[in-house]
Amino acid sequence: MRRPTSLGRTTRRTAAAGAATLALALGATACGGEDPTGPASGGELSGQTVTVAGVWTGSEQKNFQKVLDAFAAETGAKTQFVATGDNVSTFVGSKIQGGNAPDVVMVPQVGVLQQFAEEEWLKPLSKKTEMTATNNFANVWKDYGTVKGTYYGLYFKAAHKSTVWYSPEAFDQAGVEEPDTYEDMLKAGRTLADSGTPAFAVAGEDGWTLTDWFENIYLSQAGPADYDKLAAHAMPWTDDSVVKALTTLGELFADKELIAGGAQGALRTDFPTSVEQVFGPQPKAAMVYEGDFVGGIAKDEFGRKLGEDAKFFPFPPVDGGEAPVVSGGDAAVVLKDGKNQKGAMRLLEFLATPQAAAVWAEAGGYLSPNKELSLDEYSDDTTRETAKSLIDAGDSVRFDMSDQAPAAFGGTKGAGEWKLLQDFLRDPSDPKATAAKLEAAAAKAFKS
């Protein structure tokens, strides 16, 4: 999620919380620290236990458990969930090495899924799952779950990372409306600043949020084809299209009126604080850009009513391009070394259905890429709107670019793209120089 993936890129977990859950998981005698749940008898998988590992904790884990409970009710299987901590690949590798691999893993990054496939840890999904996914999902979601022509990963949970959240009160006071273009958004931001409210809370302390800013601008300006090339490093970061996107982003970064606390203040602001600066008890900004998960924080942490005193508009198109839809997500994969291959494959067949997605949609804090899921299953109008935007984007959706890159470039605190964009936030005066540094870091990471 590097994002709060779902809060898939992925709320972002602290290092301490991740370490705690990882320690708990590794210390357990079974594949996880939780006792198996589900019917004791009856059903096609009666007497079997399916173990599932994923990054989710807190409300995300509780809501996913409701999905597992529905699977158990349908099949008779027991289920066992174990939290992996943030480093999924390290956790899974240690479990495989110890002969205690889970059956299913919820993988939060395309790059990690590809790594698992290259390590030959994964089983191809069943023909039934593949057929259901072909019918129920846009092709792009199958493509992101496919490695070298083999379908390994079913995307069950998605994040919509092209939403700009704002305080209607601040907009009303300044007399501004939701913008239709990126240029209009900056113009509205300057009007907000003139009214006494800085436009944006920017979480510059968390480098992943800056990659998301760049990706939305780049996708809209350069288009999906070039986005795909850059994501795969089939195009150098010194390309003119990258310099152009950085120049556009630099206009925001350089304007002290647009960013609460200026660049230095942003560099001291983490993601949860950026949401608080807009929706907390003492607002310091009118807007915060990030994914649909912002709404959940505004609602759960600060008591905002979605659609009333916490609203969003789609990330607006840049320079006449199409409005971008950048996404993240969690893919279910089946491990070769899991002890219950039959149960694992049956679980993924279930997760491919709209019935499975409906369980979490009703619980909240969730978006499904399953186009057969009725929007009526979501619990509020705001979530329905974000879900509809994601589904309507179809194959124009693009997965978070940094999540597709090697972690050394796209997902490491204090290194690679995260650090270089933080440096650019600090001093956006030379986009070409920043592009050259990004290319050097990307070339090294992709080579290794």
Side-chain angles (χ1 to χ4, degrees):
M1 171 51 209
R2 12 225 222 255
R3 42 134 197 23
T5 66
S6 321
L7 209 102
R9 144 143 168 136
T10 86
T11 54
R12 187 160 180 78
R13 298 161 186 83
T14 63
T21 54
L22 180 58
L24 176 64
L26 291 173
T29 56
C31 184
E34 301 290 336
D35 291 332
T37 61
S41 62
E44 64 191 272
L45 298 178
S46 177
Q48 300 184 38
T49 297
V50 181
T51 57
V52 184
V55 299
W56 298 322
T57 59
S59 62
E60 286 184 303
Q61 181 180 338
K62 290 178 182 177
N63 288 336
F64 182 58
Q65 186 60 55
K66 294 177 182 178
V67 179
L68 295 179
D69 290 346
F71 169 72
E74 181 171 308
T75 64
K78 293 184 178 181
T79 61
Q80 185 174 27
F81 182 87
V82 57
T84 62
D86 279 343
N87 197 328
V88 178
S89 58
T90 297
F91 175 88
V92 172
S94 68
K95 286 296 184 182
I96 290 174
Q97 188 175 16
N100 199 21
D103 301 310
V104 173
V105 181
M106 307 303 296
V107 180
Q109 288 105 28
V110 171
V112 174
L113 188 153
Q114 292 170 344
Q115 175 200 339
F116 284 11
E118 290 165 3
E119 295 282 354
E120 298 185 350
W121 290 351
L122 304 182
K123 291 276 291 185
L125 302 188
S126 71
K127 293 298 182 182
K128 182 176 181 179
T129 298
E130 185 168 4
M131 183 178 298
T132 304
T134 299
N135 293 331
N136 292 2
F137 296 78
N139 291 333
V140 66
W141 294 103
K142 273 195 67 183
D143 292 344
Y144 284 126
T146 298
V147 181
K148 296 181 179 178
T150 301
Y151 185 43
Y152 292 111
L154 172 77
Y155 276 91
F156 178 68
K157 188 176 192 290
H160 191 323
K161 303 188 77 176
S162 298
T163 53
V164 181
W165 293 81
Y166 69 95
S167 164
E169 181 180 359
F171 271 40
D172 290 343
Q173 288 178 353
V176 300
E177 298 180 350
E178 294 182 1
D180 294 323
T181 68
Y182 184 83
E183 293 75 13
D184 287 344
M185 183 171 71
L186 298 192
K187 182 179 179 181
R190 294 186 178 103
T191 301
L192 285 159
D194 290 341
S195 75
T197 304
F200 291 99
V202 175
E205 185 177 319
D206 288 326
W208 60 269
T209 68
L210 305 183
T211 70
D212 291 346
W213 270 103
F214 171 83
E215 288 159 8
N216 276 273
I217 291 172
Y218 189 84
L219 178 56
S220 184
Q221 267 187 343
D226 280 353
Y227 185 97
D228 292 343
K229 291 177 184 176
L230 189 62
H233 200 226
M235 170 193 291
W237 282 75
T238 48
D239 189 83
D240 288 345
S241 63
V242 176
V243 176
K244 182 179 180 181
L246 287 171
T247 301
T248 299
L249 182 58
E251 181 183 356
L252 168 67
F253 286 175
D255 194 329
K256 294 180 180 179
E257 291 186 347
L258 290 177
I259 299 178
Q264 292 303 317
L267 288 164
R268 296 190 296 269
T269 301
D270 62 13
F271 170 67
T273 302
S274 72
V275 180
E276 182 179 4
Q277 286 181 349
V278 177
F279 297 113
Q282 296 179 319
K284 297 180 179 179
M287 293 180 277
V288 56
Y289 155 68
E290 251 311 329
D292 61 277
F293 36 81
V294 170
I297 301 175
K299 176 183 176 183
D300 297 339
E301 299 295 330
F302 304 114
R304 297 288 183 145
K305 293 182 179 179
L306 300 185
E308 295 184 19
D309 52 6
K311 293 184 176 182
F312 81 94
F313 56 86
F315 196 101
V318 187
D319 290 342
E322 297 293 327
V325 180
V326 176
S327 185
D330 299 89
V333 299
V334 175
L335 294 187
K336 283 183 176 179
D337 289 354
K339 295 180 174 61
N340 190 346
Q341 300 286 306
K342 179 182 177 181
M345 288 296 179
R346 181 67 180 85
L347 174 58
L348 266 71
E349 290 170 2
F350 176 72
L351 294 180
T353 67
Q355 289 78 17
V359 176
W360 199 338
E362 181 182 4
Y366 171 80
L367 290 181
S368 172
N370 193 322
K371 61 186 180 183
E372 294 303 311
L373 175 67
S374 170
L375 294 175
D376 293 338
E377 300 292 350
Y378 292 101
S379 57
D380 63 85
D381 289 339
T382 299
T383 306
R384 289 187 194 99
E385 190 177 350
T386 55
K388 184 177 186 301
S389 175
L390 182 72
I391 295 300
D392 287 350
D395 287 331
S396 67
V397 170
R398 286 300 182 269
F399 208 93
D400 185 305
M401 188 186 295
S402 59
D403 274 0
Q404 298 183 58
F409 178 66
T412 300
K413 185 175 182 178
E417 191 179 3
W418 290 17
K419 179 183 185 300
L420 291 172
L421 288 180
Q422 287 173 321
D423 292 344
F424 186 63
L425 170 60
R426 188 177 290 110
D427 178 10
S429 63
D430 195 343
K432 285 188 176 181
T434 296
K437 293 174 183 177
L438 286 164
E439 169 58 22
K444 181 178 180 181
F446 275 86
K447 182 178 180 181
S448 62

